[in-house]
């Protein structure tokens, strides 16, 4: 910045994301809760409308639902991953912020499939530090540094990428430029170690050596849920009915996985502390909007399933915390919000202009008491036939109901979250819920392929329950 030029008063923006983190995993992240949540707003009812890594990250980048940005899978063979997004790179949040004068930095895991394009730097990034080649190896990382692949073995991913975040904060402070940083952690996603044949073998997530003894006896919180290892699944879709109940060894395996996930999040938690601490040291903390969230949740045995994608609360719900200018301190809201709201929030505080139609809306008014969505679309797709655009499911989630249609199977699910938060009782086929189902179908028809204002307007209302709801 030249001498005499006024300082840019716009806030910095720091987005911190994890991979596959459940909303209830936040209980194991004291620094994140105290330094972001307690100093800002905690959103306890945030969802990933497409609960899968790559589609969710594309939603974060675009402010659009997956049916509009077109990333419908983690795999290029089913119309997804980075391959499906490359043509859209000219219009993302990073581009809009860079165009508005922000210094932009990416550090961590990008979209699935990107490692095949390791020397390619997507549009909009001033500094590019993306994991490639060994994305799921917690301690043997290769990084695309502005398109040049560099090996960085022997350091935990979260610690490594924190170094790049520190550099970006230092540069932005030194140059008196507002900055946007997306720090994208792998944790608590499973790891992947090379086998003797060179193939990748799935392994538990990892913390740092200092965390080895942490959470070794931590019980699996899912055990307290009626959904865990669900006994009666005759009312569930065929895929759930076909899944066998977990044996004692499998239950113990889910518990060990949970403990490993928590250990990996300890490193993320310390990273959050480091980011907040450096921002404070540089005098930038009060003028920085910090958002913490995950791309999707994770099932740890609920409904007999381990994984994500499915329209159950453990898969859909994600942590979401925000602090910064205009954000109430110590607020907690159960207003419904989603990942499509992150880009509009960044645009509001930066005064940057979007280059595409946004489906989401800013989180700032919601943090200040405005109502959230009454109804939101949920979806998962392209797992059957990408050429025909078939979806695994389309659904709608309201404050009380989750309604889902499986178009290729003719199956439906309907859950009353007020009476059945564990989603153990599918009431879609009950005569007592016929009118409620019909109303939710009409809402879904409006939201199924909504775009822009139609998403935001339709999402602002939901059908009132009709008929007996016992």
């Amino acid at each position: 910045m030249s001498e005499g030029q006024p300082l840019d008063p716009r806030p910095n923006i720091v987005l911190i994301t994890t991979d596959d983190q459940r909303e209830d995993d936040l209980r194991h992240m004291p620094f994140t809760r105290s330094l972001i949540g307690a100093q800002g707003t905690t959103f306890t009812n945030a969802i990933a409308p497409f609960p899968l890594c790559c589609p969710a990250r594309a939603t974060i980048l675009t402010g659009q639902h997956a049916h509009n940005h077109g990333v419908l899978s983690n795999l290029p063979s089913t119309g997804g991953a980075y391959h499906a997004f490359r043509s859209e790179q000219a219009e993302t949040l990073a581009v809009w912020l860079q165009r508005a004068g922000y210094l932009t930095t990416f550090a961590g895991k990008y979209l699935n499939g990107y490692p095949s394009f390791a020397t390619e730097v997507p549009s909009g990034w001033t500094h590019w530090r993306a994991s490639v080649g060994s994305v799921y190896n917690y301690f043997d990382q290769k990084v695309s540094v502005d398109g040049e692949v560099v090996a960085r073995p022997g350091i935990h991913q979260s610690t490594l990428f924190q170094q790049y975040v520190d550099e970006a904060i230092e540069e932005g402070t030194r140059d008196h430029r507002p900055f946007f940083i997306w720090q994208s952690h792998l944790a608590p996603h499973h790891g992947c170690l090379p086998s003797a044949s060179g193939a990748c073998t799935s392994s538990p997530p990892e913390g740092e050596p200092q965390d080895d003894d942490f959470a070794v006896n931590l019980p699996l919180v899912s055990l307290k849920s009626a959904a865990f290892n669900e006994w009666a699944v005759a009312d569930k879709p065929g895929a759930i009915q076909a899944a066998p109940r977990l044996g004692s060894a499998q239950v113990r395996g889910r518990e060990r996985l949970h403990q490993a996930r928590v250990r990996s999040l300890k490193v993320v938690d310390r990273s959050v502390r480091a980011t907040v601490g450096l921002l404070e040291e540089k005098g930038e903390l009060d003028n920085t909007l910090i958002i913490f969230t995950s791309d999707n949740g994770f099932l740890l045995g609920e409904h007999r399933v381990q994984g994500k994608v499915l329209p159950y609360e453990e898969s859909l719900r994600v942590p979401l915390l925000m602090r910064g200018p205009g954000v109430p301190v110590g607020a907690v809201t159960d207003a419904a919000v989603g990942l499509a709201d992150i880009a509009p929030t960044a645009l509001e505080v930066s005064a940057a202009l979007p280059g595409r139609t946004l489906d989401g809306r800013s989180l700032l008014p919601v943090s200040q008491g405005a109502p959230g969505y009454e109804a939101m679309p949920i979806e998962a797709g392209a797992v059957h036939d990408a050429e025909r655009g078939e979806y695994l499911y389309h659904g709608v989630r309201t404050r009380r109901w989750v309604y889902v249609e499986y178009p290729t199977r003719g199956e439906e699910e309907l859950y009353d979250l007020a009476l059945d938060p564990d989603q153990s009782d599918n009431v879609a086929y009950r005569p007592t819920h016929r009118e409620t189902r019909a109303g939710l179908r009409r809402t879904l028809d409006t939201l199924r392929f909504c775009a822009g204002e139609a998403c935001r307007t339709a999402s602002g209302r939901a059908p009132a329950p009709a008929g007996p709801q016992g």
Side-chain angles (χ1 to χ4, degrees), residues 356-374:
R356 62 170 75 212
T357 301
L358 302 178
D359 299 333
R361 56 196 186 191
S362 174
L363 293 166
L364 277 175
V366 182
S367 74
Q368 296 162 359
Y373 297 107
E374 288 298 323

Side-chain angles (χ1 to χ4, degrees), residues 117-284:
F117 302 85
T119 60
E120 181 174 289
V121 178
S123 302
W125 298 104
T126 311
H127 299 302
W128 180 250
R129 308 288 187 264
S131 53
V132 294
S134 50
V135 174
Y136 298 98
N137 192 321
Y138 275 83
F139 282 95
D140 187 13
Q141 199 59 199
K142 292 184 177 65
V143 182
S144 176
V145 178
D146 297 330
E148 179 183 353
V149 177
V150 177
R152 293 296 306 274
I155 181 172
H156 192 280
Q157 277 206 30
S158 292
T159 303
L160 169 62
F161 289 112
Q162 183 62 42
Q163 295 176 0
Y164 296 130
V165 168
D166 291 349
E167 292 172 3
I169 293 173
E170 294 274 3
E171 179 179 354
T173 303
R174 183 179 62 249
D175 295 349
H176 303 290
R177 290 180 60 186
F179 50 82
F180 167 55
I181 299 170
W182 181 4
Q183 185 175 14
S184 176
H185 295 275
L186 172 64
H189 196 285
H190 68 79
C192 206
L193 300 176
S195 65
S197 65
C200 187
T201 302
S202 181
S203 61
E206 297 181 71
E208 292 185 309
Q210 69 192 74
D211 305 309
D212 287 350
D213 295 329
F214 183 78
V216 291
N217 296 311
L218 185 70
L220 182 62
V221 67
S222 303
L223 290 171
K224 298 179 180 179
S225 167
F228 184 79
N229 205 13
E230 191 171 2
W231 184 267
V233 294
D235 61 337
K236 290 289 190 293
I240 301 296
Q241 294 182 39
R245 295 196 77 237
L246 306 176
S248 58
Q250 293 170 305
V251 170
R252 177 57 183 152
R254 300 302 185 276
E255 192 164 56
R256 287 195 296 268
L257 174 59
H258 172 56
Q259 294 162 357
R261 285 166 53 89
V262 169
R263 284 191 287 274
S264 72
L265 287 171
K266 292 296 288 183
V267 194
V268 176
D269 199 37
R270 290 194 292 269
S271 175
V272 168
R273 179 181 59 179
T275 294
V276 172
L278 184 57
L279 287 169
E280 185 171 30
E281 177 187 325
K282 298 298 180 182
E284 296 286 346

Side-chain angles (χ1 to χ4, degrees), residues 227-464:
F228 184 79
N229 205 13
E230 191 171 2
W231 184 267
V233 294
D235 61 337
K236 290 289 190 293
I240 301 296
Q241 294 182 39
R245 295 196 77 237
L246 306 176
S248 58
Q250 293 170 305
V251 170
R252 177 57 183 152
R254 300 302 185 276
E255 192 164 56
R256 287 195 296 268
L257 174 59
H258 172 56
Q259 294 162 357
R261 285 166 53 89
V262 169
R263 284 191 287 274
S264 72
L265 287 171
K266 292 296 288 183
V267 194
V268 176
D269 199 37
R270 290 194 292 269
S271 175
V272 168
R273 179 181 59 179
T275 294
V276 172
L278 184 57
L279 287 169
E280 185 171 30
E281 177 187 325
K282 298 298 180 182
E284 296 286 346
L285 183 58
D286 291 341
N287 195 38
T288 299
L289 181 74
I290 305 176
I291 301 174
F292 178 92
T293 191
S294 180
D295 52 5
N296 50 258
F298 198 78
L299 294 144
L300 280 168
E302 292 87 354
H303 313 293
R304 307 184 184 182
V305 176
Q306 177 178 305
K308 43 206 172 184
V309 181
L310 296 177
Y312 302 126
E313 290 292 279
E314 297 83 7
S315 173
L316 291 171
R317 292 181 61 195
V318 294
L320 180 57
L321 312 173
M322 183 171 75
R323 70 170 287 176
V327 181
V329 175
V332 178
T333 176
D334 65 354
V337 295
L339 295 184
D341 300 329
I342 290 175
T345 305
L347 293 176
E348 179 176 358
V349 302
S350 65
L353 299 176
R356 62 170 75 212
T357 301
L358 302 178
D359 299 333
R361 56 196 186 191
S362 174
L363 293 166
L364 277 175
V366 182
S367 74
Q368 296 162 359
Y373 297 107
E374 288 298 323
M376 296 178 66
I378 55 176
E379 59 192 352
V383 296
H384 296 292
D385 188 339
E387 296 301 320
R388 289 161 53 189
E390 292 184 353
Y391 280 71
L392 173 61
Y393 63 79
H394 290 284
V396 59
R397 182 183 182 275
T398 77
R399 290 185 61 85
R400 178 168 180 177
W401 302 97
V402 175
Y403 172 68
V404 181
E405 296 177 352
Y406 296 83
T408 61
R409 302 172 182 170
E411 298 171 319
E412 296 174 272
E413 290 184 276
L414 175 61
Y415 298 101
D416 184 343
L417 297 178
L419 300 177
D420 179 28
D422 295 321
Q423 297 172 284
S424 58
D425 190 11
N426 179 14
V427 297
Y429 306 109
R430 292 188 182 178
T432 52
H433 291 71
R434 185 179 296 115
E435 292 184 34
T436 297
R437 182 177 61 172
L440 289 165
R441 277 178 171 172
R442 289 191 293 271
T443 302
L444 176 55
D445 287 342
T446 302
L447 292 173
R448 191 187 310 266
F449 294 115
C450 67
E453 185 63 26
C455 289
R456 297 189 294 273
T457 302
S459 295
R461 61 179 184 269

Side-chain angles (χ1 to χ4, degrees), residues 2-24:
S2 60
E3 185 177 352
Q5 185 175 345
L7 298 178
D8 192 323
R10 292 177 298 172
N12 311 304
I13 303 166
V14 175
L15 172 63
I16 305 171
T17 60
T18 51
D19 195 330
D20 289 2
Q21 182 179 351
R22 297 162 57 110
E23 189 274 337
D24 56 16

